[in-house]
């Protein structure tokens, strides 16, 4: 897998996590720990994307 396709896959995963966070936040019975975990995963992906984009 080349860097370009890897970045594209990371961006896709980041967007999917964004969608999951938004969905969970709209749900009244949302688990705060799950939302926090999703946000942490999203942040890790963002950091990876930034590192790879600068390389």
């Amino acid at each position: 897998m080349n860097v370009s396709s890897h970045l594209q896959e990371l961006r896709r995963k980041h967007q999917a996590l964004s969608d999951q966070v938004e969905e969970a936040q709209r749900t009244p019975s949302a688990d705060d720990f799950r939302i926090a975990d999703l946000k942490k995963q999203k942040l890790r992906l963002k950091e990876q994307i930034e590192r790879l984009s600068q390389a």
Side-chain angles (χ1 to χ4, degrees):
M1 178 181 289
N2 65 28
V3 175
S4 173
S5 61
H6 187 59
L7 274 170
Q8 191 174 17
E9 179 65 17
L10 290 175
R11 286 184 180 118
R12 186 194 61 75
K13 287 180 180 181
H14 185 269
Q15 184 58 49
L17 284 170
S18 269
D19 295 344
Q20 288 179 27
V21 167
E22 287 179 26
E23 178 72 27
Q25 288 177 329
R26 285 193 297 259
T27 305
S29 61
D31 180 6
D32 290 338
F33 293 112
R34 174 164 160 61
I35 293 172
D37 184 53
L38 289 170
K39 286 182 176 183
K40 286 177 189 176
Q41 290 178 47
K42 190 176 153 189
L43 180 59
R44 273 181 272 178
L45 282 174
K46 182 180 178 183
E47 290 170 347
Q48 267 188 301
I49 290 167
E50 288 176 356
R51 272 196 312 271
L52 289 172
S53 292
Q54 294 174 357

